[in-house]
Amino acid sequence: MKDDVVTGHQRAELPGLVGVWRLAWEDEGLVELAPLSHGKLIPSGEAVLAEGQGVLPSWLWDGWIRFWRGEDPAVPLVGRVPPFFGRVYAVVRRIPVGGARTYRQVAEEVGVPEGARAVGQAMRKNPWALFVPCHRVVRTDGGLAGYGGPTGTPLKRALLLMEGVTALPGGVSLKGGRP
């Protein structure tokens, strides 16, 4: 664990079942959760997660474990985002484990049917990856747009497979379909 003198946030870098992640928090909640590596599914299961125990505060540790078990992390998110982004993040948080939505579907649900690109911008700037599961948002044709940049597509695919998603909109199969 590191204290950030400039922001006052505490930080840690931890492996998940997929990838390595940077977490930043303060007493009120999670400030940032971002991928540091675009690794593959780690077959050793929850043993790898033990690194975080004692590093994270208990409320964040519990949410971290709940996420990797396919449950709602139920962690308070702290930070300011534009109102449209906040509406998008609320919709995305309701996408269930094993589910996926298109950028267009999310845009329609927030009341901006032509706002798919704006939803994409909100996903690109999402400070709480995993807990606002932007990996569950895909292109209308089922393609996997970038996740943490273009090199993040393998991470997005691995997260979706870990959650049990095998087919996406547009009939794309994650087990051999195009990215």
Side-chain angles (χ1 to χ4, degrees), residues 3-178:
D3 286 326
D4 188 321
V5 179
V6 175
T7 65
H9 303 145
Q10 296 180 56
R11 297 182 183 276
E13 296 176 2
L14 297 174
L17 296 182
V18 176
V20 177
W21 301 85
R22 178 180 57 240
L23 296 92
W25 67 93
E26 54 189 38
D27 291 341
E28 292 77 29
L30 183 67
V31 175
E32 178 189 31
L33 175 52
L36 290 176
S37 77
H38 301 113
K40 297 183 180 198
L41 184 63
I42 299 171
S44 61
E46 285 193 19
V48 73
L49 299 178
E51 255 185 64
Q53 194 166 19
V55 173
L56 301 177
S58 62
W59 58 267
L60 185 51
W61 169 251
D62 292 344
W64 182 246
I65 293 300
R66 279 193 302 269
F67 173 82
W68 295 111
R69 289 182 178 160
E71 302 168 13
D72 179 2
V75 166
L77 307 177
V78 177
R80 295 180 147 234
V81 295
F84 175 76
F85 285 19
R87 293 195 322 265
V88 168
Y89 298 156
V91 167
V92 171
R93 283 187 92 177
R94 291 193 302 266
I95 301 171
V97 172
R101 301 287 185 279
T102 67
Y103 293 96
R104 180 177 294 155
Q105 288 171 323
V106 173
E108 289 170 353
E109 196 165 335
V110 297
V112 185
E114 301 301 318
R117 286 185 183 263
V119 168
Q121 288 299 312
M123 296 295 88
R124 187 173 68 79
K125 294 182 179 187
N126 175 8
W128 307 291
L130 296 183
F131 292 1
V132 174
C134 50
H135 60 279
R136 297 180 190 152
V137 183
V138 300
R139 294 188 325 222
T140 301
D141 67 359
L144 302 180
Y147 183 77
T151 61
T153 302
L155 177 60
K156 187 171 188 170
R157 178 186 304 275
L159 286 166
L160 290 168
L161 285 170
M162 180 198 76
E163 293 182 342
V165 176
T166 57
L168 295 169
V172 174
S173 168
L174 281 175
K175 297 194 179 229
R178 69 186 187 288

